[in-house]
Each structure stands twice: as C-alpha cells, then as structure tokens.
Amino acid sequence: MYIEIVPNRGSRPAILLRKGRREGKRTVKQTLANLSDWDDQRIESLRLVLRGVRLFTVDQIFRIERSVAHGHVELVLAMIRKLDLARLIDAKPSRERDLIVAMVAERILAPASKLGTTRLWETSTLPEELCVGGVDVEELYAALDGLLERQPRIEKKLARRHLAEGSTVLYDISSSFYYGHTCPLVMFGHSRDEKKNLPIIVYGVLTDEEGRPVAAEAYKGNTADPKTVPDRVEQLRSKFGLTRVILVGDRGMLTQAQITNLKKYPGLGWISSLRSTQIRTLFAEGALQRSFFDAANLAEITWPDHPNERLVACFNPLLAEQRHRKRNELLAATERDLDRIRREVERRTKTPLTRSDIGVRAGRVLFRRKMGKHFKLSIGEGTFSWTRRAESISDEERLDGIYVIRTSESALSLPADDAVRHYKSLAHVERAFRCLKGIDLRIRPIFHRKENRVRAHIFLCMLAYYVEWHLRKALAPILFEDEEIDLLRLTRDPVAPATPSPSVIEKKKTRQTEDGLPIQSFSSLLALMSTLCRNRCRLASDTTAPPVDVLTDITPLQQRALDLVAAFPVTT
C-alpha cells in the first residue's frame, strides 16, 4: 500500500490510499480510500506507518514537567546587565542585592504588591536566572529596607553617570492617591489623579536633559510644589558636588520666591516661565505686543521688574486656537447652567428663592469652570440675570497662544531657541510620571503603611523606569516610537507645533518595520516575548534520568528584540 497524490486540473489534488499489483506486463492500481480531507500531519503519520516506522506519542517519549515564561525575562535582564545595575546598587554581591535587582525587573514584567510579587515570582524564569527562588514577603520587605539605605549612594552613582558641570537638570513632582491613613506622609492636598476624596503622597523626580531619572524623593501630601525645590538644590550642590547646573522647572515649581533663593547660589542657573498674570502685566505696560510676532514666533524682551533675566516670548498659533475654542466651550456651558438657574428663579413664584440661595447656586456654577471673571451677575430677592464681561474676555484673548520663558542664562551660553527647547524638555519628566503611574510600572495604588517602605517603593519604581527608559530607546525600531525625535528636537522650530518624522509616519501607516516585522507597543512586545518559554522535560521511559530544559523556537521578532538590546550603547 502507498499514498499517491493525483493532480486534479485547477482543483485541489486528490490524495489516495492505493494498493498495486502486477498483471502480466501491466501494473494495476486499486484505490482503497480517499484521504483528501486529511490534514498533512495525519497523512505523514500514515506514510511513516506504511514504511514500517514505529510511531510513538509525545507523552510516550518524554514529559513536560514545567513550562515558564522566559523571553521577557531575558530581555529585561539583558538591559539590566548592560546598565550594570547590580553594581550600581551594591559593589558586593549578596542575596539582598539580587532580590533588589529581581524586584526592579519584576516591576517591569508584572507590577504588583510585594505579596503579589511572591505569588507571581514562579511564573517566569526570573528567580532561576537570579538565583532568588523560595522567597517570602518578609524577605522582600527586608530587601526593600536595604534599598532605602543604599538610595543616597545609588543616586550619587547615577549623577556621576549622567550629570556633569554645566548639565541641564529637569525637575517636576506628581502625586498618587492612597488608601488608608496610617502612613505619616499621607495628607490631603492637590491630587493629580482627580481623586479629591482620597489623601495623597507627593513625590519628585530629578532627571538629566534626556529624561533619565537620577533621583527621587517622597513628601507629605500637603507639600506645595515650590517647597520641594530647596531640597533638590541642596542635593545637586552638596550630595552630587555640582556647582554649575541649569535647573528647569515649570512656573508652579520655580516661583518668584524660589528664583530669588536660587540667585543666592553662584553658578546655579535656571529656566522657567511667567504666570498668566505676569504676562497680562507685560501687555498692560507695553513691554509685550502681538505685533512682535508678525515676522517670527519668538521674540526676546526686557522688563524692569525682572532685572538680570532674559525673557523669551513665544507665540504658538495651534495653542491659540485650542485656548480660544476651549474658552468658548466653557463660556457656553456656564451660560447653560446659569440659564437653568434663571428659569428656576422665574418658576418659583410662591416661594421665591432668596438672594443668598441664588448666589450660592450661581457661585458653584462659576467656580466649576473658573469662569467667574467673565460674567457679571445681578442677584436680587427672586430675581437673577447675567451678562458677559466683553472686556475681560477680550483681554484674555490677547494672551491666547502666548507664553514667556524666563531664564538666568546669558544669550552667549544659551540662545533663545535653546532656552525654549530646554523648557519644553520637561515633557521627559511628564512621560516618566505617565510610565510610573500607568500600566507599565503601577506606582499606585501604594500598599505600604510605613513611611520608610513608601519611600523605598517610590525609589524602586524610579529604578525600574531607569531600566525601562533604556529599553524603550533600544527597542525603538520595533516600537511605535519616533527614532529621529532626539535629532528633530535639536533642529526643528522650538515654538511651532511638533510634527512627526516621515519615518515614523510610514511606520505607523504600515504598522511594520522595514524588514516586515509587526510594530509593537512596549507592553505588547513584553507579552510576545513571554511566549518564549523554558520547558523542563524528562524521558518517560527513564524517570531517574535528569531533566532537560528546552526553549521554544524563537521567532524573528523575539530575536530582533534581543539583538537590539545587545547592540544598544549605554553610559555606565
């Protein structure tokens, strides 16, 4: 018997099981079965049986005792080793150091509470690769305490790597909500998470000009942004030994009081921006006019109220259009709410609303959208009306799209274009907060109750972002990332709306790399890498034989990711 494939014109060929015999000089074929609907594997198995090959099922040859995810572990640990993170944490090898490295890696792979980490620990090859198996939650807490003790030394080493005399330093703060009340850092304050009914913990991150995190610190939830600046200045000067740096912070961080304090330190420069009230004063005094932007979108101006400072006024037409549209939407929404109050006042004839009741309701409406300055209210006993303040709206429209950068640096050391670019680089810190607070690292919710553990948790997340920052840079060719963005930031118009490079437009359009690999997000790439598993196999016929670890076949995308990390240059 044999299997024969018979062509069938333009249709699918017929696959037949046949038996042949000789009749004189002729060969007679007898069809025993039509196998056309069989899959390739069944047909190949039958062909082997017909040849006399003895077949075995997979479980008759060997057993797979265990299968754990490995590819994403190999990718993250490859970058950790390139960054020499273990020596950065402690020069002396120890189990505690290995546990800290493992917690940093696990924060990227599967962020969870420390107790949750012990449950997820065995789902990947991470404990095997770092020889930290059999860990319990108390051991992780002890390692976390050890990390906090090492934090000053680690931050000094990071500063030596990425900061130097004359460097630009970015600083910003954020906050995370907190369930509970036992931690001394927990206070009610300005929540960035829009959780007004929950207390918060404030933390600040210091980075180099490219966004690499260098230091992190936690503060009480009611700490105002400017109050954290002196600590950062002291850290830069005393702990890091830097006398000449340029500190970049937003206008809520580097207030006039803090800038006055910074001027006491020779060699310490700064870049910030003016508040809208200050810009309005510039217009009122004639120091700033919209005609300045007729020929260019950037102009340097002077103002006696800011001696020994450079002011760079910028005009962004896209920002102007956005602010104009938003204001009109807020005005229209406020009028709808005020009109609702007016109709209710007119309807209440038997028991008219009092003047105080009307004022409370109208006040809530104006406060909700911060539009009180643009409306004039007329409130009486059982009467209510309003009108727009046209002059106030007109004055604010003059400021649309205009912002003013202020800096202590001279034009020789920092041209106006670069001053704007340095200020806009604060977006690097904002991206850090998005990664810390988003699905990547999940700094929140904070499960710890002790102050030292909360501080250590925040620093641990910062170290995880340090690794992720480098991973994103290395893997940019296969991610939805603009590989030319760093060069574009140095050459494009600093004020005009940013435009993506042609290469990233094509990448997002085709959703493929130049060599045909599918483009990924960072999280989806880690998920695909985790499908590269390590399987522990043992011969079924000999249970005493030692097990053998076998990796699943690596895909081209997985190999490309590992090659990119291996070739990526890092600063150590």
Side-chain angles (χ1 to χ4, degrees), residues 42-59:
R42 291 177 65 189
I43 293 173
E44 184 61 27
S45 298
L46 179 58
R47 183 180 280 115
L48 292 174
V49 170
L50 295 175
R51 291 176 183 174
V53 178
R54 186 179 179 184
L55 301 182
F56 297 90
T57 61
V58 173
D59 55 356

Side-chain angles (χ1 to χ4, degrees), residues 232-243 265-268:
R232 299 303 96 199
V233 173
E234 180 64 23
Q235 185 177 43
L236 288 170
R237 294 180 60 84
S238 300
K239 296 181 181 179
F240 297 165
L242 299 173
T243 58
Y265 301 97
L268 181 61

Side-chain angles (χ1 to χ4, degrees), residues 71 74-75 475 478 515 517 525 528-529 532 551-567:
E74 184 177 353
L75 186 74
L475 299 170
I478 55 176
D515 47 359
L517 297 175
L525 179 61
L528 287 172
M529 291 298 298
L532 177 61
L551 285 177
T552 53
D553 292 340
I554 192 168
T555 65
L557 178 64
Q558 292 168 339
Q559 188 62 61
R560 175 66 168 152
L562 293 173
D563 292 343
L564 287 172
V565 171

Side-chain angles (χ1 to χ4, degrees), residues 86-305:
R87 286 183 58 82
L88 186 72
I89 294 170
D90 197 336
K92 184 178 179 181
S94 66
R95 178 172 172 82
E96 184 175 85
R97 186 184 77 168
D98 293 339
L99 285 174
I100 295 172
V101 173
M103 283 193 290
V104 171
E106 188 71 15
R107 204 76 210 168
I108 302 173
L109 300 174
S113 67
K114 301 305 175 290
L115 180 60
T117 296
T118 62
R119 302 297 188 262
L120 296 170
W121 205 264
E122 303 299 330
T123 61
S124 72
T125 58
L126 181 64
E128 184 178 345
E129 290 292 310
L130 295 177
C131 302
V132 290
V135 68
D136 61 24
V137 68
E138 295 301 327
E139 197 172 6
L140 289 186
Y141 285 149
L144 203 61
D145 295 339
L147 175 63
L148 186 63
E149 294 175 0
R150 295 176 173 89
Q151 180 175 352
R153 297 196 299 273
I154 296 172
E155 290 178 341
K156 283 184 180 180
K157 293 177 182 179
L158 287 173
R160 284 198 294 269
R161 280 186 183 184
H162 305 298
L163 300 181
E165 292 292 342
S167 295
T168 299
V169 180
L170 312 177
Y171 178 61
D172 203 354
I173 72 169
S174 189
S175 65
S176 287
F177 59 85
Y178 187 88
Y179 295 107
H181 58 277
T182 57
C183 179
L185 294 174
V186 176
M187 296 284 180
F188 280 96
H190 173 53
S191 175
R192 279 81 173 173
D193 303 327
E194 297 183 358
K195 298 274 188 177
K196 296 182 179 179
N197 58 330
L198 291 175
I200 62 172
I201 293 175
V202 171
Y203 45 88
V205 175
L206 200 70
T207 78
D208 69 355
E209 60 184 338
E210 295 184 65
R212 294 185 190 87
V214 173
E217 187 61 59
Y219 299 94
K220 291 184 177 181
N222 60 353
T223 304
D225 296 12
K227 295 293 184 182
T228 66
V229 175
D231 290 343
R232 299 303 96 199
V233 173
E234 180 64 23
Q235 185 177 43
L236 288 170
R237 294 180 60 84
S238 300
K239 296 181 181 179
F240 297 165
L242 299 173
T243 58
R244 172 59 182 154
V245 294
I246 302 174
L247 181 63
V248 184
D250 61 30
R251 61 189 181 184
M253 183 76 62
L254 297 184
T255 60
Q256 184 59 50
Q258 292 302 326
I259 288 177
T260 301
N261 185 57
L262 293 179
K263 292 178 179 179
K264 299 177 183 178
Y265 301 97
L268 181 61
W270 47 266
I271 301 174
S272 186
S273 64
L274 295 182
R275 293 178 176 271
S276 59
T277 54
Q278 295 172 308
I279 299 177
R280 191 174 292 110
T281 303
L282 286 174
F283 267 102
E285 297 183 359
L288 180 61
Q289 301 175 19
R290 294 191 72 91
S291 59
F292 291 175
F293 307 109
D294 290 344
N297 57 11
L298 180 150
E300 285 202 50
I301 60 176
T302 58
W303 194 20
D305 289 354

